[in-house]
């Protein structure tokens, strides 16, 4: 005890845990008692500078002389491990206003409401660094914390957990606790450069922008940007209802020009040219539903278009409203409507969360009535709702939103424009061709590309930290593409591991057939259009198990840089009537959005058996009917190829195997002697075989061995050498002979004969 009411303890870096970067410090229970504090009270910390934090009790076996704090808190007080820190109780005040600065990528996608929820209950002061990691000090905050984490994860990706923000302004200046009533804002005059988080609160600057750079609109639903210096006057003339959000200038929108123009024409006609409507003798209510994949930039387009036609935006998040109690959510909606100017746009992001299809809720009913009220005065207000799942929006609400605008998955040209936009403030090596990067990123939406660019920037910063080149290199983008997967493919994508057709031994005729049927439609769709023919819809691979059907599909996908959707039967089949068909529709919708896409149905005979013979209440029959409709229905499957694999082609419903659906059936035979030798060599390229091992001779003896059996034989031979001696450095012919005793052929001669006859009959 250094003086009355204070203690001096030794700064000790806490181990990573649930407290890390959340503004929490831990003291021995006796130290808490000495300060007259209870767990959860605030404490003032003074080192080279002063800040405040929430104090909790440490383990009773902890040191009585230690202050356990994370790297962020130690940085805020200017202390290192072992430095003395003075502690004293402090009285907190509810923060009235907090202004923060942070990476441009965070400013772009985190709206002030979400930012306030992430910082809720944290104690801040001017100059402090804070993270986005929310704290949970009671059961009442559990749901809010979970909802906030989901929102941040959806908008920023996993990188949000390492981001560090700085408190530029705080009222009061210190000891301010952020509450639900605190006005939290982003700083508008941030430097025109990209900062990326590294470690312990440090950031690396990746270069000044060639011009003041507005933050990107990555993340779609919660996107926002800071105004550019040259357009700040115009933005200030049309202030947003939500502080800290400013639109991208319309002329700078990238990747969504066509839907943006559609929406601009609607709002411009409804707000600024109503005399034309009167001349024609009609009228229009400006209710618009903007749909498209999550992260494509729907809300960004709406904000930008509204600014272009001179309308102010009052904005709410459907997910945030759904996390609140019904009365609080209704109050938030009414407040947003009350903020509407003339002309004004009520922007509701993720509307399916508050008005779900097939489920009447008090909040959904209230919102539908509110839409009627807002649209009751033509020419004054518009309602723009965004959704990533249009089929989940209540039909009653959709009837009020008379116009629908679709923001599609960006094509290669749009992805290139987005990459140019996201890298405009970064140093990029001259030999990096963004067109090639865009070509390698099918299925990536704006938010995915922003995360990918940020990941490439982090890799460049890590290299620059060690004295390497500061500009982004091709290798940085290669690594980012491997680690950042498109959100549209999450959960169902297949890891290709760089596999190509060159890695497949033998099977030359099969590889040529797959190249024509699968790769050409995905890689050269214009050639089919030029010749006036439709590309094949699908192909069925059949053959004995273990002969490489799945392996060669992975190789084909890797060759064509296509997205791969691996379809699992458990995802589609559902005992509830209508759910299985809905799952099929959703699957094909995702495939169209992520095109070019290869859809792979393994063990297709279990998923689409011959109709009429099932005992599952008709579930399989309905799935088959849905597959037939999607494969050859009214909606085009452009840039989507379906590949099925089976050991029993006779058990698949014949309707699936006609032209226009899975029109080509390709037999994948077991490898012959030459093929088996190629497979043995491919699997043995890293195995040190002795000179007495003749793989060609071994292959001749492996009749009825599948490709999987050959791979298992090489593995077993190496294990046999290890059994003799863990110091073994070579695999001999004796080891191979012993392995052949253990690994027996898995192919059934009768099944093989049946499949060969089936293939012969089809060809005949």
């Amino acid at each position: 005890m250094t003086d009355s009411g204070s203690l001096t303890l030794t700064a000790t870096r806490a181990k990573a845990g649930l407290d890390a970067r959340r503004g929490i410090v831990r003291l021995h229970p006796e130290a808490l008692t000495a300060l007259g504090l209870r767990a959860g009270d605030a404490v003032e910390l003074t080192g080279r500078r002063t800040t405040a934090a929430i104090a909790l009790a440490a383990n009773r076996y902890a040191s009585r002389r230690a202050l356990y704090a994370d790297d962020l808190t130690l940085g805020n007080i200017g202390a290192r491990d072992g430095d003395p820190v003075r502690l004293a109780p402090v009285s907190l005040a509810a923060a009235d206003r907090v202004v923060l600065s942070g990476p441009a990528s965070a400013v772009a996608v985190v709206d002030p409401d979400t930012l306030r929820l992430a910082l809720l209950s944290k104690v801040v002061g001017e100059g402090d660094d804070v993270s986005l990691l929310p704290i949970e000090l009671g059961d009442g905050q559990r749901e809010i914390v979970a909802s906030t984490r989901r929102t941040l994860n959806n908008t920023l990706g996993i990188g949000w957990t390492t981001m560090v923000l700085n408190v530029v302004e705080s009222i009061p200046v210190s000891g301010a606790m952020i509450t639900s009533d605190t006005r939290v804002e982003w700083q508008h005059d941030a430097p025109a450069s990209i900062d990326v988080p590294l470690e312990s609160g440090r950031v690396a600057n990746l270069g000044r922008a060639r011009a003041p750079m507005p933050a990107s609109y990555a993340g779609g639903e919660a996107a926002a940007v800071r105004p550019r210096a040259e357009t700040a006057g115009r933005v200030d003339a049309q202030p947003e209802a939500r502080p800290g959000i400013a639109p991208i200038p319309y002329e700078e929108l990238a990747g969504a020009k066509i839907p943006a123009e559609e929406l601009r024409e609607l709002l411009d006609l409804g707000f600024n040219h109503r005399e034309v409507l009167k001349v024609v003798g009609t009228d229009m209510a400006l209710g618009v539903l903007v749909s498209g994949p999550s992260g494509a930039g729907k809300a960004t387009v709406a904000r930008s278009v509204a600014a272009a036609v001179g309308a102010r935006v009052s904005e709410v998040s459907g997910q945030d409203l759904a996390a609140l109690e019904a009365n609080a959510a209704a109050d938030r909606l009414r407040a947003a409507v009350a903020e509407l100017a003339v002309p004004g746009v009520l922007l509701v992001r993720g509307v399916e969360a508050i008005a779900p299809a097939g489920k009447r809720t008090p909040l959904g009913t209230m919102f539908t009535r509110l839409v009627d009220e807002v649209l009751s005065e033509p020419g004054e207000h518009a309602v723009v709702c965004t959704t990533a799942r249009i089929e989940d929006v209540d039909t009653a609400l959709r009837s009020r939103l008379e116009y629908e605008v679709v923001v599609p998955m960006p094509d290669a040209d749009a992805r290139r424009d987005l990459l140019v936009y996201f890298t405009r403030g970064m140093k990029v090596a001259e030999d990096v061709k963004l067109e090639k990067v865009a070509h390698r990123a099918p299925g990536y939406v704006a938010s995915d590309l922003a995360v990918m660019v940020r990941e490439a920037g982090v890799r460049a910063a890590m290299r620059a930290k060690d004295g390497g080149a500061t500009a982004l290199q091709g290798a940085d983008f290669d690594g980012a593409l491997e680690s950042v997967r498109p959100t549209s493919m999450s959960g169902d994508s297949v890891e290709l591991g760089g596999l190509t057709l060159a890695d497949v031994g033998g099977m030359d005729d099969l590889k040529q057939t797959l190249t024509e049927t699968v790769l050409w439609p995905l890689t050269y769709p214009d050639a089919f259009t030029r010749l006036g023919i439709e590309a094949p819809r699908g192909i069925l691979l059949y053959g004995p198990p273990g002969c490489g059907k799945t392996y060669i599909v992975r190789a084909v996908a890797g060759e064509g840089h296509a997205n791969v959707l691996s379809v699992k039967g458990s995802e589609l089949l559902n005992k509830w009537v209508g759910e299985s068909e809905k799952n099929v529709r959703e699957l094909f919708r995702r495939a169209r959005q992520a095109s070019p896409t290869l859809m792979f149905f393994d063990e297709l005979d279990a998923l689409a058996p011959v109709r009429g013979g099932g005992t599952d209440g008709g579930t399989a029959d309905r799935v088959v009917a849905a597959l037939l409709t999607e494969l050859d229905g009214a909606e085009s499957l452009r840039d989507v190829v379906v590949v099925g694999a089976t050991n029993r082609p006779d058990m698949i419903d014949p309707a699936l195997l006609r032209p226009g659906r899975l029109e080509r059936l390709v037999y994948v035979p077991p490898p012959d002697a030459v093929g088996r030798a190629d497979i043995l060599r491919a699997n043995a390229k890293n195995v040190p075989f002795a000179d007495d091992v003749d793989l060609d001779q071994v292959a001749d003896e492996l009749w009825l061995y599948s490709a999987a059996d050959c791979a298992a034989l090489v593995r077993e031979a190496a294990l046999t050498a290890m059994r003799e001696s863990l110091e073994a450095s070579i695999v001999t012919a004796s080891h191979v002979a012993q392995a052949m005793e253990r690994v027996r052929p898995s192919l059934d001669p009768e099944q093989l004969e049946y499949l060969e006859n089936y293939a012969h009959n089809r060809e005949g």
Side-chain angles (χ1 to χ4, degrees), residues 165-302:
L165 316 178
N166 183 260
V167 180
V168 177
E169 181 182 345
S170 173
I171 303 177
V173 175
S174 63
M177 175 173 277
I178 297 177
T179 69
S180 299
D181 297 322
T182 302
R183 188 171 54 159
V184 180
E185 304 174 18
W186 287 113
Q187 183 186 34
H188 285 268
D189 55 349
S193 60
I194 293 276
D195 289 336
V196 293
L198 292 179
E199 54 186 307
S200 301
R202 297 172 54 213
V203 296
N205 187 281
L206 300 187
R208 301 288 297 179
R210 292 182 289 274
M213 175 184 142
S216 66
Y217 58 112
E221 299 308 304
V225 296
R226 288 173 283 184
R228 302 197 329 168
E230 59 266 34
T231 60
R234 181 174 62 180
V235 173
D236 290 341
Q238 299 170 3
E240 293 287 329
R242 289 282 183 261
I245 297 182
I248 291 177
Y250 181 78
E251 62 274 8
E252 293 188 10
L253 277 176
K257 290 289 188 182
I258 294 178
E261 182 60 23
E262 286 183 46
L263 183 59
R264 191 194 66 79
E265 289 180 356
L266 284 172
L267 297 186
D268 188 47
L269 179 62
F271 284 146
N272 303 325
H273 299 284
R274 300 203 64 81
E275 68 280 358
V276 178
L277 295 171
K278 291 181 180 178
V279 170
V280 176
T282 187
D283 205 346
M284 65 186 300
L286 291 176
V288 186
L289 182 61
V290 182
S291 63
S294 179
K298 300 180 290 294
T300 298
V301 168

Side-chain angles (χ1 to χ4, degrees), residues 80-223:
R80 293 175 297 181
D81 234 1
D83 287 352
V85 178
R86 190 172 67 85
L87 289 78
V90 63
S91 298
L92 295 180
D96 178 62
R97 179 171 179 262
V98 174
V99 180
L100 300 112
S101 66
S105 51
V107 178
V109 299
V110 181
D111 62 82
D113 286 341
T114 303
L115 186 59
R116 183 179 61 251
L117 291 175
L119 302 178
L120 202 62
S121 298
K122 289 189 178 182
V123 181
V124 299
E126 287 187 7
D128 283 353
D129 287 335
V130 295
S131 77
L132 287 170
L133 291 168
I135 62 176
E136 183 180 324
L137 294 179
D139 294 339
Q141 287 187 244
R142 186 167 299 153
E143 187 174 346
I144 295 176
V145 169
S147 175
T148 304
R149 294 182 69 92
R150 287 194 299 269
T151 301
L152 291 172
N153 201 54
N154 290 337
T155 54
L156 285 173
I158 192 63
W160 73 270
T161 59
T162 63
M163 286 187 174
V164 177
L165 316 178
N166 183 260
V167 180
V168 177
E169 181 182 345
S170 173
I171 303 177
V173 175
S174 63
M177 175 173 277
I178 297 177
T179 69
S180 299
D181 297 322
T182 302
R183 188 171 54 159
V184 180
E185 304 174 18
W186 287 113
Q187 183 186 34
H188 285 268
D189 55 349
S193 60
I194 293 276
D195 289 336
V196 293
L198 292 179
E199 54 186 307
S200 301
R202 297 172 54 213
V203 296
N205 187 281
L206 300 187
R208 301 288 297 179
R210 292 182 289 274
M213 175 184 142
S216 66
Y217 58 112
E221 299 308 304

Side-chain angles (χ1 to χ4, degrees), residues 544 667 670 703-704 747-761:
Y667 179 52
W703 184 68
L704 290 182
L747 295 181
D748 181 357
E750 294 184 2
Q751 183 187 23
L752 187 58
E753 181 181 2
Y754 159 75
L755 289 171
E756 289 175 345
N757 290 335
Y758 184 90
H760 178 74
N761 293 335

